[in-house]
Amino acid sequence: MIIRVEKGLRYSDVTPRADYVNRRRFLAGAIGLGSAAWAGTKLPGITKSRLSTDEKMTPYQDVTTYNNYYEFGTAKDAPAVNATAFRTSPWTVRIEGEVAKPQVLDLDAVMKMAPLEERIYRHRCVEAWSMVVPWIGFPLAALIQKMAPTSKAKYVAFETFFDSKQMPRAQYGGLPFPYVEGLRMDEAMHPLTLLCVGLYGETLPNQNGAPLRLVVPWKYGFKGIKSIARIRFTEKMPPSTWNLANAGEYGFYSNVNPSVDHPRWTQAKERRIGEFFKRDTVMFNGYGDQVAGLYSGMDLRKNY
Ligand code: MTE
């Protein structure tokens, strides 16, 4: 008898949910993740970073229910509701382009690349709200160095995992998917740029970009691409989703800049989630001492 395995059929399609959840848990244990492949699992051995702000952190409840993740709906509370069943294990990240050895890494290999740190960063959305989030991750530079990009690699391009079956609301998002983003190589290598796997001591909730996302604290939040499935080293500036959707409103650089207004609203002020009065927005989101040098000689009104 020939048993045919249908193409595209997933384990979850043929197995009762309780069984596959247990099996996933077992597999995660087998590859050394413990149960860290699941949203809301404690991450052990995290050191505290000197690069953290001492500003008051935004409560966990707000960080995890006030989100932008258009694949799971456009309302702020939609991702927390609609991303609960999103499968983030097993997970692989394809490394490709201008790199010594293109390869596919599993999440376990990524997690082992560098010690995990807690980085409490200001998080400023282009919609003029902000938060303070205790992210967990390691500098993206650690991964880039291990992957050995070639001398032609001038940019790093990122792509989110996309599956219209798991993300049926994406069709109403008004954005082209999969979501893509990019950084110049020196921005990607900057010690503040974080490859993030958790927040508040735990693995990332799905709505915050499990299992792996980018955090670039001096840029608007949309540079922080979620659920990364591909990292490509390129010679030319890669596309970014919000720029593709509306080039007049969203540029490649997207540095937080109180003196460059969004065409439809001011960027001079912001509302810190949980606070009543608005705050003044600070150039480079307050990280200017560390990052302004990356842009010396550039007109940041043109390169917004
Ligand atoms: N990544 C993907 N794949 N899809 C998205 O819609 N939204 C971006 C960014 N990353 C988005 C994404 C935007 S607009 C912001 S402000 C941040 O995620 C929000 O991150 P947070 O929900 O963890 O605060």
Side-chain angles (χ1 to χ4, degrees), residues 51-257:
L51 296 169
S52 288
T53 172
D54 53 13
E55 284 172 59
K56 186 169 168 279
M57 293 188 285
T58 304
Y60 179 87
Q61 179 69 12
D62 291 327
V63 174
T64 58
T65 57
Y66 192 88
N67 299 105
N68 280 327
Y69 198 160
Y70 276 44
E71 289 89 331
F72 294 106
T74 55
K76 290 286 174 281
D77 55 357
V81 175
N82 299 328
T84 46
F86 177 44
R87 281 187 292 276
T88 58
S89 174
W91 192 268
T92 55
V93 183
R94 186 174 289 275
I95 311 285
E96 57 192 11
E98 291 295 340
V99 64
K101 194 175 149 244
Q103 55 187 301
V104 177
L105 300 170
D106 63 24
L107 190 60
D108 197 33
V110 175
M111 300 274 275
K112 282 188 185 138
M113 246 162 215
L116 295 182
E117 298 171 23
E118 180 181 73
R119 292 273 183 97
I120 307 170
Y121 278 162
R122 286 180 290 277
H123 178 45
R124 171 63 157 79
C125 179
V126 75
E127 295 161 332
W129 53 261
S130 66
M131 297 190 191
V132 175
V133 184
W135 304 112
I136 295 163
F138 60 83
L140 175 64
L143 179 138
I144 294 178
Q145 270 154 358
K146 287 212 165 75
M147 296 301 109
T150 72
S151 59
K152 281 191 183 161
K154 302 283 186 282
Y155 294 89
V156 188
F158 303 86
E159 190 176 300
T160 298
F161 175 83
F162 183 65
D163 175 5
S164 58
K165 283 211 192 82
Q166 292 194 72
M167 300 160 167
R169 286 166 188 84
Q171 61 184 307
Y172 311 113
L175 293 177
F177 292 111
Y179 195 101
V180 291
E181 257 304 341
L183 293 172
R184 217 170 55 191
M185 185 59 92
D186 56 349
E187 298 177 321
M189 290 295 290
H190 193 281
L192 286 172
T193 304
L194 205 65
L195 203 52
C196 172
V197 297
L199 55 81
Y200 267 107
E202 299 175 351
T203 51
L204 280 170
N206 289 347
Q207 61 269 32
N208 291 90
L212 187 70
R213 68 172 293 172
L214 189 66
V215 174
V216 194
W218 69 94
K219 292 180 181 278
Y220 292 121
F222 66 85
K223 296 300 278 186
I225 183 170
K226 295 179 171 180
S227 309
I228 297 168
R230 274 171 192 260
I231 299 178
R232 185 177 182 84
F233 295 91
T234 66
E235 201 173 0
K236 294 208 179 89
M237 184 184 278
S240 49
T241 290
W242 283 96
N243 179 256
L244 291 172
N246 192 340
E249 298 190 353
Y250 308 103
F252 176 81
Y253 282 95
S254 309
N255 292 315
V256 174
N257 189 340

Side-chain angles (χ1 to χ4, degrees), residues 14-27:
V14 292
T15 312
R17 186 178 149 79
D19 287 359
Y20 82 76
V21 168
N22 282 336
R23 183 172 156 75
R24 281 162 55 191
R25 202 157 278 158
F26 168 75
L27 282 175

